[in-house]
Amino acid sequence: MAESVRRFLGKPGAVDLRPYTKLLSAIEAEEDGLRELSDTELTDKAIELGNAELPYGREDLVQLCAVGREAARRTLDERPFDVQLLGVMSLLDGHVAEMATGEGKTLSGALAAAGFALRGQRVHLLSVNDYLAKRDAEWMRPLYDMLGVTAGWINEDSTPQERRAAYSCDVTYAAVSELGFDVLRDRMVTDIADRVVPPPNVAIVDEADSVLVDEARVPLVLAGAAESLAADVEMADVVRALKPRLHYEIDAEGRNVQLTDAGIDVVEKALDGVDLYSEDDTSVLPQVNLALHAHVLLQRDVHYVVRDGEVRIINESRGRIALLQRWPDGLQAAVEAKEKVALSETGEVLDSITVQSLVLRYPTRGGMTGTAMAVAEQLREFYELEVAVIPSNKPNVREDHGTRLYATREEKEDALVAKVEEVHKTGRPILIGTQDVAESELLAGRLREAGLECVVLNAKNDADEASIIAEAGTYGAVTVSTQMAGRGTDIRLGGSDMADRDRVVETGGLYVMGFGRYPSSRLDGQLRGRAGRQGDPGDSIFFVSMDDDLVVNHGSESTGYQTTAEGEITDEGWLNMVDHAQRVAEGQLLEVHRNTWRYNQLIDVQRDVVLEHREMVLTGDQGDRQVRSDRKERHAELVEEVGEEKVAQAARLITLYHLDQGWTDHNAFLAELREGIHLRFLGRRDPLDEFNREAVPVFKGFLDEARARAAESFEELEAQDGELDVGSVGVKRPSMTWTYMVHDHPFSSAFETLVGKLKGGRNSSSGD
């Protein structure tokens, strides 16, 4: 009844664990008997479980968990706790298992993957990066071997042959981006033998909230046909000479920048008297705006770092380098020109896929994370996933202190340094979480000035992430880190070898300090969760100031408060305001997610039509039948000259080319349409409705147009020495392709951008 009421009200809640907990005693009862089996006998017993269909019945589920527990004990020297088995059973039922840091998600995921694999399902275990994919696959491999299951992994350096081998395994570990790129490349093949990804069965997503929510707004892109970007360098030099407030103004929220009249005059003069608003040449103003945005709004060591002569974007939610990620529509090149590094190649988008669409391909999906309930509504709304909150193996004894609020950043900094000094005297290890690279380095400098040595972990040294964070629990250690400290590697008290564990426990365990609250309560929770692992003692506290970005951008009135001599604001109302600001920020992120989903729903419907038709051409004789029908005489002539097989192959290549090229052109149209559609808001029209109203009619003739172009190319085809050269009629694949992730505008939604433009007058610069 309670579950029915919860669903009726539409409120997110946790999966009922009682059906699983009832099986725990039966699983334990099997333990003594299984220990008497040889390794071979245990493997045989696991394989026997594959003789039935999904889902697992009660008895089979008991056997799977019992056999998996014994196999883990033998191969990994880890006996899964009861709570880990609850996680296994939740995953097998297609839920997201919320398991706290250090509770053994990796092992639970592996046992669930083996459970699916034993019943004939191919499993993709998706992670946030290549490092975790490789680490977990190799770590769990002995377990899989004993259970009679094959496992492989891929990373960005994997060759096509290595990818096929990994995907042919029962369980494949991969970063979600790598899987997406493989899917995109498979969609462009002209020979079925060139595919690498098998049909989707089961996806288990590690760090599910990060992948399914934070990354859901980030399209993965396949591009080709490079073009020159030399003009960006000139624009960078022009805006570099501009002065704030005199030549350009930034809006109150710091999200949009626009030239002043004086700035317009300076830019036009620098560009040899060009009229920025001339109707004859509309290409110059967008270039100036991009250069201005890059110069003013995108900050080095906050939004990106420069490493090895390249601009590398920092993932906002994790603080890590976002591999293969770039800004869209020329902004990437504008930042590269600003930093005077080589401009990366760009070109037309051949196809793209969102992480959301990628995961929804799988009939069965589940996930694991430490912070799922905070996004339970989104997991249900966008993925039809429910959250199973798994209790910790030992009670959480970490003490979470309230937020300490200060009037200024300087006073907040003073308070944090004083707290670090106080705690450090006891020998307690300290982990300090910061918002960005620049902040981590400035704070580390301040600590060192106070005589407090510390280790810094940020996007500049993320290659050493695992080794640095693994030692953050060492006696007397002080570690300053961006949000990348939140996941992936356990912080064990006493260091990675736990040699000094008892002494650290006596001091009170790890003390986590947040230098500012994050835009999402989940990120706060992830940082707090680094302390209190497996019943360890620990503390957490956050320091916030009224000039923090979160408060400035999303808070209410920020005057009229009273402070102590140290600048602290203790009034409960102002502390509640910080919580409110965070909820506002979360609401904006949710709305961006919803808008991304709404736009992509229509695009995915159209893409599915094209892909279905492409599949018939690729794997069947659809292309040959169409050109035979449309160009009957020419088809017969070519068959007489070179034979039916070569004609059919040429027809397939020509038809695929025009389908792919047509989709590329349609993608460009949709991107341009979406970019300008929010201007319809001025006419009190819904942008999404307007997008659909224009996008649907344009697509109606898509397949007919592609077919007509294929017929025209086929008509021009000539036989040369018994061969058909489709290149002679313009059928050419891109000379090279590359993949990347589009980093959407990091400051505001499209609507906020529009408002900024209206406030800013006739010229503004903002991202998409």
Side-chain angles (χ1 to χ4, degrees):
M1 180 64 71
E3 176 69 8
S4 300
V5 171
R6 182 182 67 76
R7 289 185 177 278
F8 175 77
L9 294 176
K11 295 181 179 179
V15 169
D16 186 359
L17 298 180
R18 285 176 293 182
Y20 307 143
T21 57
K22 290 178 180 179
L23 303 182
L24 293 176
S25 58
I27 294 170
E28 187 172 359
E30 296 287 326
E31 199 159 358
D32 290 341
L34 291 175
R35 289 201 176 189
E36 296 178 0
L37 300 181
S38 68
D39 288 354
T40 301
E41 289 172 329
L42 189 65
T43 301
D44 291 341
K45 197 164 186 65
I47 294 174
E48 287 176 9
L49 291 167
N51 295 329
E53 300 292 326
L54 288 170
Y56 277 86
R58 181 186 185 282
E59 286 303 317
D60 283 352
L61 195 55
V62 168
Q63 289 298 312
L64 173 67
C65 290
V67 170
R69 170 179 272 172
E70 178 61 16
R73 188 189 67 80
R74 295 187 189 189
T75 59
L76 306 175
D77 196 24
E78 293 184 20
R79 178 188 178 274
F81 301 123
D82 284 350
V83 293
Q84 288 175 285
L85 298 183
L86 293 179
V88 173
M89 291 184 271
S90 299
L91 290 170
L92 286 169
D93 276 346
H95 300 312
V96 173
E98 179 176 280
M99 300 174 68
T101 300
E103 291 294 314
K105 292 188 289 289
T106 303
L107 179 52
S108 291
L111 289 174
F116 281 117
L118 288 169
R119 298 226 155 151
Q121 297 291 295
R122 184 175 281 110
V123 183
H124 291 165
L125 221 158
L126 306 178
S127 65
V128 294
N129 58 45
D130 287 348
Y131 164 76
L132 291 177
K134 179 181 178 180
R135 184 201 70 176
D136 292 351
E138 294 184 338
W139 180 12
M140 295 292 117
R141 190 184 303 280
L143 171 66
Y144 286 122
D145 288 344
M146 182 161 286
L147 294 175
V149 171
T150 59
W153 56 270
I154 63 169
N155 63 21
E156 62 178 328
D157 297 323
S158 299
T159 65
Q161 292 77 16
E162 290 170 337
R163 291 172 188 271
R164 284 192 196 91
Y167 284 124
S168 69
C169 293
D170 301 320
V171 179
T172 307
Y173 284 76
V176 67
S177 57
E178 281 305 307
L179 171 71
F181 294 146
D182 282 339
V183 169
L184 287 173
R185 283 186 286 256
D186 276 3
R187 288 178 177 177
M188 302 297 292
V189 299
T190 57
D191 189 325
I192 194 172
D194 293 332
R195 283 177 169 167
V196 299
V197 185
N201 289 154
V202 178
I204 297 177
V205 185
D206 194 11
E207 308 296 1
D209 60 326
S210 180
V211 172
L212 300 181
V213 176
D214 298 333
E215 305 290 355
R217 304 182 301 273
V218 183
L220 290 81
V221 174
L222 178 68
E227 60 188 37
S228 173
L229 293 167
D232 293 281
V233 176
E234 180 183 8
M235 294 303 171
D237 291 337
V238 170
V239 302
R240 193 174 283 116
L242 301 180
K243 297 179 180 178
R245 293 184 295 278
L246 175 61
H247 298 131
Y248 61 83
E249 294 178 344
I250 306 172
D251 69 4
E253 294 183 342
R255 298 186 175 195
N256 296 280
V257 58
Q258 52 273 333
L259 292 172
T260 62
D261 289 341
I264 293 171
D265 292 339
V266 169
V267 171
E268 289 181 339
K269 183 177 180 181
L271 296 175
D272 299 325
V274 67
D275 181 358
L276 290 179
Y277 300 92
S278 169
E279 295 182 359
D280 297 329
D281 185 359
T282 60
S283 64
V284 179
L285 182 59
Q287 293 181 45
V288 174
N289 282 338
L290 284 170
L292 190 62
H293 183 122
H295 181 69
V296 177
L297 298 182
L298 293 178
Q299 302 174 41
R300 183 169 177 167
D301 292 343
V302 175
H303 305 110
Y304 65 92
V305 298
V306 177
R307 179 194 288 178
D308 301 328
E310 296 181 358
V311 169
R312 303 198 179 187
I313 293 174
I314 298 172
N315 182 296
E316 295 176 75
S317 64
R318 298 199 299 274
R320 297 181 175 95
I321 291 294
L323 295 175
L324 298 176
Q325 197 160 315
R326 57 190 290 147
W327 287 289
D329 305 323
L331 185 56
Q332 179 77 23
V335 176
E336 291 166 341
K338 165 191 174 182
E339 296 295 343
K340 299 181 179 180
V341 301
L343 303 187
S344 58
E345 293 173 299
T346 187
E348 62 182 358
V349 173
L350 303 178
D351 198 7
S352 65
I353 186 172
T354 62
V355 170
Q356 192 158 329
S357 297
L358 178 67
V359 173
L360 286 172
R361 296 166 63 248
Y362 292 84
T364 302
R365 47 192 176 269
M368 310 168 288
T369 182
T371 46
M373 280 304 294
V375 289
E377 179 183 353
Q378 296 183 58
L379 293 174
R380 174 185 295 164
E381 178 179 350
F382 301 119
Y383 300 96
E384 299 179 351
L385 288 169
E386 300 290 341
V387 176
V389 179
I390 309 299
S392 57
N393 184 51
K394 296 180 180 179
N396 181 3
V397 298
R398 183 187 68 239
E399 185 173 354
D400 295 327
H401 303 277
T403 295
R404 291 176 60 176
L405 178 61
Y406 293 84
T408 67
R409 176 191 174 90
E410 290 74 21
E411 289 164 330
K412 175 182 76 169
E413 191 175 289
D414 290 342
L416 183 137
V417 171
K419 187 65 175 179
V420 172
E421 286 181 311
E422 172 194 331
V423 174
H424 182 64
K425 289 177 182 177
T426 69
R428 289 186 73 173
I430 299 169
L431 174 65
I432 305 169
T434 64
Q435 304 288 310
D436 53 57
V437 175
E439 191 172 80
S440 68
E441 294 182 339
L442 287 171
L443 185 57
R446 176 67 194 278
L447 290 171
R448 287 168 181 147
E449 288 176 4
L452 297 164
E453 282 304 312
C454 59
V455 177
V456 179
L457 173 60
N458 58 38
K460 289 186 175 181
N461 61 344
D462 58 350
D464 303 319
E465 174 185 356
S467 58
I468 292 175
I469 205 65
E471 302 304 330
T474 303
Y475 183 86
V478 179
T479 307
V480 181
S481 175
T482 55
Q483 181 57 20
M484 63 194 300
R487 301 183 160 185
T489 303
D490 282 349
I491 298 179
R492 300 174 185 270
L493 299 187
S496 58
D497 59 2
M498 303 177 69
D500 221 7
R501 173 179 168 77
D502 291 344
R503 183 160 66 141
V504 173
V505 168
E506 289 176 4
T507 68
L510 181 67
Y511 205 124
V512 170
M513 303 181 189
F515 193 60
R517 294 268 293 275
Y518 293 97
S520 164
S521 60
R522 277 187 304 115
L523 300 183
D524 289 352
Q526 289 167 20
L527 182 60
R528 289 188 191 275
R530 302 309 276 152
R533 171 189 174 275
Q534 281 286 341
D536 287 344
D539 288 79
S540 72
I541 190 170
F542 281 80
F543 294 80
V544 176
S545 65
M546 295 297 290
D547 49 9
D548 283 358
D549 288 344
L550 176 69
V551 177
V552 171
N553 294 335
H554 305 290
S556 53
E557 182 63 39
S558 58
T559 58
Y561 48 79
Q562 301 293 319
T563 68
T564 65
E566 292 76 27
E568 185 174 3
I569 302 169
T570 57
D571 185 270
E572 196 69 25
W574 290 103
L575 292 169
N576 290 338
M577 182 272 297
V578 175
D579 295 333
H580 175 74
Q582 189 176 64
R583 289 193 295 271
V584 171
E586 290 174 328
Q588 290 186 1
L589 290 173
L590 175 57
E591 193 56 32
V592 170
H593 190 171
R594 285 195 174 121
N595 282 334
T596 300
W597 172 235
R598 290 164 183 157
Y599 279 106
N600 280 286
Q601 273 188 307
L602 172 66
I603 299 173
D604 282 346
V605 168
Q606 297 182 346
R607 180 182 283 109
D608 288 344
V609 171
V610 177
L611 290 176
E612 183 180 359
H613 188 76
R614 193 183 196 281
E615 184 71 8
M616 291 189 293
V617 174
L618 179 67
T619 62
D621 62 350
Q622 180 80 358
D624 189 48
R625 288 192 291 109
Q626 286 182 352
V627 296
R628 184 193 298 123
S629 173
D630 297 340
R631 293 293 189 270
K632 185 175 182 179
E633 293 182 3
R634 187 60 183 147
H635 187 277
E637 291 173 2
L638 291 175
V639 168
E640 187 176 343
E641 287 181 64
V642 301
E644 290 187 358
E645 184 177 344
K646 290 182 179 179
V647 171
Q649 180 184 19
R652 183 179 75 248
L653 293 174
I654 290 172
T655 304
L656 290 174
Y657 169 79
H658 286 291
L659 280 172
D660 294 342
Q661 187 59 49
W663 181 247
T664 297
D665 295 341
H666 188 64
N667 256 328
F669 161 75
L670 293 175
E672 184 176 350
L673 176 63
R674 182 175 176 182
E675 181 178 348
I677 205 70
H678 292 277
L679 295 175
R680 310 293 175 87
F681 174 79
L682 297 173
R684 298 183 181 277
R685 289 176 287 178
D686 181 78
L688 183 62
D689 290 343
E690 291 296 301
F691 181 82
N692 289 350
R693 189 178 65 81
E694 295 200 18
V696 171
V698 171
F699 183 72
K700 281 185 177 178
F702 179 91
L703 293 180
D704 290 339
E705 180 66 22
R707 177 172 179 170
R709 291 181 179 179
E712 291 173 4
S713 296
F714 187 82
E715 182 70 34
E716 298 172 3
L717 195 60
E718 299 286 346
Q720 296 273 345
D721 300 324
E723 300 293 335
L724 296 175
D725 180 13
V726 295
S728 66
V729 293
V731 176
K732 296 179 180 178
R733 313 305 293 184
S735 57
M736 66 171 293
T737 62
W738 63 98
T739 54
Y740 56 88
M741 300 172 73
V742 176
H743 188 285
D744 286 342
H745 180 21
F747 306 103
S748 64
S749 68
F751 173 74
E752 290 176 303
T753 298
L754 170 62
V755 173
K757 289 182 178 180
L758 293 176
K759 289 179 179 177
R762 62 171 179 156
N763 178 29
S764 72
S765 169
S766 61
D768 324 55

